[in-house]
């Protein structure tokens, strides 16, 4: 169905909706990412790297700490916000058919390599199970709650009424806003610390005819979705996507060949081969990103050297000092004292 070329990427529709939720916030960090430029976010065929999307989520979580930022974003996201994918859910004959098709065509909106969706039926419940990447716990919780809320809000829009899920399971501990979350879901039948994330609907709800269904429209949209996927292309080339994935791994303290290979949906051996084809090695790339990350932390934060050493993977401040002298020919304190050079006008 879909080409592996879009693995490790998400749609511009999804990305710009999340960036739009940051209105009024300092988005300087985002502006430095090439696949988050305005001309990219307005291109419906553009595919943004998943590490760049995670940077957006990081900013959202920091902007709204201790809130249900994922579900709350969807309160102001009407049908159409996520483009074609939204309409896959509202045009089928029943909610069962529409949700199943939307799960099958997840790649239209999300990263098929990082987001896993499974549909299950047991005769009483229709369940959508969700799992995402192994990122920081705050990010994973925000993404998980966003995904479950996405299916609920779209199911309600498709049915034209306030559907209440028959069951919700969440792998995380109850948040401080557990009562608010129960209000958004419309039920207190929420199991926390569950083995998987899921949202279930009753068989009566999923088999009821949808008011906006148009015979044959669901098949037309599914065919169009396949064409969109075939025409979509990542904004970043492979090397830039690799660097983005490696940088994200540093930020999450999860730097390993296996971890980064998983983010890029390839085996560690294939990743090493791709690096060799680009005349570099895993070790050289790790050293390069560690250098960049260290310099950024030294120049833009007041973190103690022990904290920086821990963040970039050194055993202690002494090892960090040796590395900085090797890279810069000066001590970390001198790097911090040096004035920042203004960007070139050319």
């Amino acid at each position: 169905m879909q080409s592996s070329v879009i693995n490790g990427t998400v749609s511009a529709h999804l990305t710009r909706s999340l960036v739009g939720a940051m209105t009024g916030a300092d988005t300087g960090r985002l502006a430095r990412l090439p696949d988050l430029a305005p001309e990219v976010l307005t291109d419906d065929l553009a595919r943004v790297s998943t590490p760049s999307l995670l940077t957006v989520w990081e900013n959202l979580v920091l902007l709204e700490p201790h809130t249900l930022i994922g579900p709350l974003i969807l309160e102001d996201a009407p049908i159409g916000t996520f483009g074609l994918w939204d309409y896959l859910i509202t045009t089928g004959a029943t909610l069962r058919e529409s949700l199943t098709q939307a799960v099958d065509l997840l790649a239209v909106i999300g990263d098929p390599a990082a987001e896993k969706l499974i549909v299950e039926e047991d005769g009483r419940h229709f369940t959508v199970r969700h799992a995402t990447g192994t990122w920081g716990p705050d990010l994973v919780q925000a993404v998980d709650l966003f995904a479950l809320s996405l299916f609920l809000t779209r199911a309600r829009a498709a049915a034209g009424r306030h559907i209440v899920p028959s069951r919700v399971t969440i792998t995380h501990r109850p948040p401080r806003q557990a009562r608010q979350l129960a209000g958004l879901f419309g039920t207190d039948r929420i199991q926390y610390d569950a083995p998987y994330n899921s949202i279930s609907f009753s068989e009566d709800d999923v088999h009821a005819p949808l008011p906006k269904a148009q015979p044959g429209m669901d098949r037309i949209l599914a065919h169009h979705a396949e064409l969109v996927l075939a025409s979509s292309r990542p904004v970043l080339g492979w090397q830039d996507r690799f660097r983005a994935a490696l940088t994200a791994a540093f930020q999450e303290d999860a730097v390993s060949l296996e971890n980064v290979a998983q983010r890029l949906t390839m085996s560690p051996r294939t990743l090493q081969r791709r690096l060799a084809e680009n005349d570099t090695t895993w070790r050289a790339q790790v050293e390069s990103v560690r250098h960049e990350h260290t310099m950024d932390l030294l120049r833009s934060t007041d973190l103690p050297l022990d904290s920086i050493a821990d963040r970039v993977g050194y055993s202690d401040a002494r090892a960090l000092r040796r590395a900085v002298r090797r890279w810069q020919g000066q001590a970390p304190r001198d790097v911090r004292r040096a004035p920042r050079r203004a960007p070139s006008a050319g």
Side-chain angles (χ1 to χ4, degrees):
M1 179 186 69
Q2 70 225 20
S3 170
S4 61
V5 73
I6 64 171
N7 284 345
T9 70
V10 299
S11 74
H13 274 108
L14 173 62
T15 310
R16 69 171 174 253
S17 70
L18 298 181
V19 171
M22 298 178 60
T23 302
D26 179 10
T27 56
R29 184 183 177 196
L30 304 184
R32 297 198 297 268
L33 298 174
D35 55 346
L36 293 181
E39 61 271 20
V40 172
L41 299 183
T42 55
D43 180 356
D44 290 346
L45 294 179
R47 299 287 298 193
V48 175
S49 68
T50 299
S52 291
L53 181 74
L54 292 179
T55 300
V56 177
W57 272 115
E58 286 174 347
N59 278 265
L60 282 168
V61 170
L62 290 172
L63 180 65
E64 300 286 351
H66 311 303
T67 69
L68 299 171
I69 186 61
L72 290 175
I73 288 173
L74 291 164
E75 290 290 287
D76 298 314
I79 290 293
T81 299
F82 304 110
L84 173 62
W85 191 83
D86 267 349
Y87 297 107
L88 291 170
I89 296 184
T90 58
T91 56
T94 65
L95 198 54
R96 178 186 180 278
E97 293 178 20
S98 296
L99 289 175
T100 300
Q101 181 164 265
V103 167
D104 288 342
L105 291 167
L106 164 70
V108 172
I109 183 175
D111 179 356
E115 303 286 329
K116 305 301 180 186
L117 293 171
I118 300 174
V119 168
E120 295 180 331
E121 294 184 79
D122 62 8
R124 293 186 303 155
H125 306 283
F126 177 94
T127 300
V128 178
R129 290 175 53 169
H130 170 266
T132 191
T134 55
W135 308 309
D138 289 347
L139 288 185
V140 171
Q141 177 170 295
V143 173
D144 285 337
L145 294 183
F146 176 84
L148 297 182
S149 298
L150 180 62
F151 278 96
L152 178 58
T153 57
R154 272 49 201 158
R156 287 172 172 169
R161 57 191 175 86
H162 189 76
I163 288 179
V164 174
S166 55
R167 182 177 59 207
V168 178
T169 65
I170 297 173
T171 58
H172 310 280
R173 294 179 180 178
R176 297 181 182 180
Q177 310 80 9
R179 187 180 298 274
Q180 182 186 10
L181 187 61
L184 292 171
F185 282 145
T187 180
D188 57 5
R189 294 192 293 271
I190 302 176
Q191 177 189 350
Y192 294 100
D193 291 316
Y196 52 82
N197 299 292
S198 72
I199 185 163
S200 300
F201 303 97
S202 72
E203 286 290 304
D204 288 343
D205 280 336
V206 298
H207 285 290
L210 294 183
K212 298 180 182 178
Q214 301 179 46
M217 181 59 72
D218 54 341
R219 292 190 297 274
I220 293 173
L221 289 179
H223 178 64
H224 182 56
E226 299 284 1
L227 296 177
V228 167
L229 288 172
S231 302
S232 299
R233 289 291 179 270
V235 175
L236 300 182
W238 184 84
Q239 283 183 288
D240 289 330
R241 289 164 64 191
F242 164 75
R243 293 282 289 198
L246 181 54
T247 298
F250 262 99
Q251 293 169 345
E252 298 161 23
D253 193 24
V255 179
S256 71
L257 179 66
E258 292 75 15
N259 179 281
V260 175
Q262 182 182 42
R263 292 166 186 263
L264 296 168
T265 65
M266 59 179 63
S267 69
R269 181 174 296 182
T270 299
L271 175 54
Q272 288 179 311
R273 185 170 64 249
R274 290 292 297 272
L275 290 170
E277 291 169 356
N278 286 275
D279 298 320
T280 187
T281 64
W282 166 255
R283 184 172 183 176
Q285 290 298 310
V286 169
E287 181 76 354
S288 175
V289 173
R290 179 175 283 131
H291 181 187
E292 292 177 4
H293 196 29
T294 301
M295 293 303 103
D296 184 55
L297 290 172
L298 285 173
R299 291 166 174 160
S300 63
T301 76
D302 295 321
L303 287 171
L305 294 186
D306 281 331
S307 295
I308 293 178
D310 184 61
R311 289 189 180 209
V312 300
Y314 284 113
S315 56
D316 52 34
R318 180 179 298 180
L320 177 69
R321 290 190 186 95
R322 287 198 297 267
V324 173
R325 283 194 176 278
R326 184 173 71 251
W327 295 326
Q328 304 295 118
Q330 55 186 171
R333 64 175 179 273
D334 297 322
V335 172
R336 282 184 151 163
R337 290 172 182 169
R340 299 295 303 272
R341 287 181 293 181
S344 170

